Amino acid sequence: MATVACPVVGTTNSTLPPSHPDVDLSKPGQTCPVVGAKTEHHGNLHKHPAVSDNPTTHATGSSDAQACPVLKNVVDEEKSKEMDDKVCPVVGPVTTVLPPDHPSTLGKSDDAECPVTKAKIGHHKDKVVTHPAVSNASGVCPVTGAH
């Protein structure tokens, strides 16, 4: 089975961080308290096993995915390189390219919230790039497979 990239943040990671609040993914209509995603969108996720020494990020207090020994290697995989993945300390491997339809964050304060993921704008400053225009494009994206 091919790895599917999330159409919102581009991650191919399907493991929730150890500190993620409990969410019953089998129940439709629930909203993730971390990024606001609906359970219907995340049926492929599973919870990370407990970690005894779980480092957290200073900015968000969540588990620091950058400290995970497995995720450090994931971004070196071919698919991750194609997606221009980096390890986000909150959600793990994720593309650094915003989707073409992502609302503009230009001129927003560092404390402003991303309208898509609820992340603070300052958390992503100088870490993500805008996707090139696709208004005249046709076919399938060579990176994500999106139409």
Side-chain angles (χ1 to χ4, degrees), residues 48-116:
H48 190 286
V51 177
S52 58
D53 181 23
N54 189 14
T56 58
T57 65
H58 175 70
T60 64
S62 61
S63 296
D64 187 354
Q66 293 172 320
C68 175
V70 174
L71 295 181
K72 288 178 182 179
N73 297 327
V74 167
V75 293
D76 290 330
E77 294 175 359
E78 194 58 39
K79 182 65 177 176
S80 289
K81 288 180 180 179
E82 290 174 7
M83 297 283 292
D84 196 29
D85 283 354
K86 298 292 182 218
V87 179
C88 168
V90 179
V91 298
V94 64
T95 183
T96 59
V97 182
L98 294 173
D101 59 350
H102 192 281
S104 175
T105 58
L106 293 175
K108 304 285 185 185
S109 71
D110 286 356
D111 288 340
E113 206 171 76
C114 170
V116 178

